[in-house]
Amino acid sequence: MSSPDPQVRAARNPATPPPRGPVVAVTGAASGIGALLTARLAASDEVKQVIALDERRGEVSEATWLILDVRDPAIAEKLRGADVVVHLALDLDLETDAAARTAYNVRGTQTVLTAAAAAGVHRVVLCTSAMVYGALADNDVPLSEDAELRATAEATGVGDLLEIERLGRRAPRAHPGLNVTVVRPAVLVGGTDTALTRYFESPRLLVVAGSRPTWQFCHVDDLCSALEYAALEKVDGEFAVGCDGWLEQEEVEELSGIRRMELPSAVALGAAARLHRIGLTPSPAGDLAYTMHPWVVSVGRLHDAGWRPQWTNEEVLAELLEEVAGRHTVAGRRLGRKDATAAGAAGATVALLGAAAVVRRARRRRGL
């Protein structure tokens, strides 16, 4: 019997196509956005391999797990062979000590950027927030992605994000051949806990008299798809991600069914500052600016790359309201159900303001 034609044999036994695409390393891969992105990249035909780095092992079995602290210089050796690093090991927890949070975030980013350059990685993707643009009364609506970063360090974690962006801009100058991409999501929703998501846990939506709030959301699913675009080098530079368009405060109130409580600016800002100073609330007064002034951003660069959000602002707001149902927060401070019921809507705010005044008087008496 004659042997089969080689072309027929090849057709019957097709060779396994060689793996293609980049090797992508993800820091902070065991939880939150990092876990979602790791799973997404591991399932992608466009990614050759996913290296997952965290202080504990996550659940994505298809990834190669490396257990270490991102501040450990030994990470350089772990990154060898990676083409791209997506750095998501950040602590933006409202309850974390501010100094410890900054030390972790800044040192971790410095170490990852230096290690990536040493390991021959050619791209690092950083994730900050559109909050770095700042929330100001004279902001354009929407802001250009090239707009000046006018935020200050007065809001939770924003000082860290600004420093991370500064490190990202310096890195290519210090390490020629290293490219840095910066992704800036709008108000992030989907298993998140921030001062901005807690705003919707209040019995009334605090509105500062004379302010012009606007709301642009970003679902974590859309952030992950944007991060994947960045990892696959379909978009680079500095760009924003979020839903198309924005919602005015009146639209948010109508959609949510939560009524507003309007306060004069001096009262609202003064109370927020005092409550934070004496430790009654986790949010500094600077967080309030992001519920007062516009900071919505164009997502033109992603659109130009062919990306589109899968979620609308209305859909993300509905998801957020479903997530926070049953939670009770006043001035950024979580209350138990019993406390919230006893205090009532406006009464809870009055109670917190009264508590601040009582503590302040007691401190004066003690000479503190």
Side-chain angles (χ1 to χ4, degrees), residues 163-245:
E163 180 61 16
I164 288 168
E165 294 236 0
R166 189 183 71 82
L167 293 170
R169 287 192 297 272
R170 288 177 52 193
R173 297 197 295 268
H175 308 289
L178 180 67
N179 297 296
V180 176
T181 297
V182 180
V183 184
R184 299 169 179 153
V187 179
L188 198 57
V189 174
T192 57
D193 177 26
T194 67
L196 294 168
T197 59
R198 287 192 184 189
Y199 178 80
F200 293 92
E201 298 177 16
S202 298
R204 294 286 186 270
L205 298 179
L206 174 61
V207 176
V208 175
S211 66
R212 182 174 61 118
T214 53
W215 293 91
Q216 179 186 31
F217 298 102
C218 178
H219 195 276
V220 292
D221 291 347
D222 283 337
L223 174 57
C224 283
S225 69
L227 289 168
E228 181 181 24
Y229 258 62
L232 295 174
E233 303 183 57
K234 296 179 180 180
V235 61
D236 58 14
E238 301 167 350
F239 62 89
V241 55
C243 301
D244 291 332

Side-chain angles (χ1 to χ4, degrees), residues 266-292:
V267 173
L269 292 169
R274 288 194 298 273
L275 291 171
H276 182 67
R277 188 165 57 248
I278 63 179
L280 282 180
T281 64
S283 298
D287 286 345
L288 199 56
Y290 290 88
T291 69
M292 293 172 58

Side-chain angles (χ1 to χ4, degrees), residues 283-322:
S283 298
D287 286 345
L288 199 56
Y290 290 88
T291 69
M292 293 172 58
H293 306 304
W295 53 287
V296 301
V297 187
S298 163
V299 293
R301 292 203 173 114
L302 275 171
H303 274 244
D304 290 346
W307 179 92
R308 295 292 183 273
Q310 298 302 303
W311 292 74
T312 66
N313 282 302
E314 291 84 355
E315 290 168 342
V316 180
L317 176 59
E319 169 127 333
L320 172 58
L321 293 171
E322 185 175 333

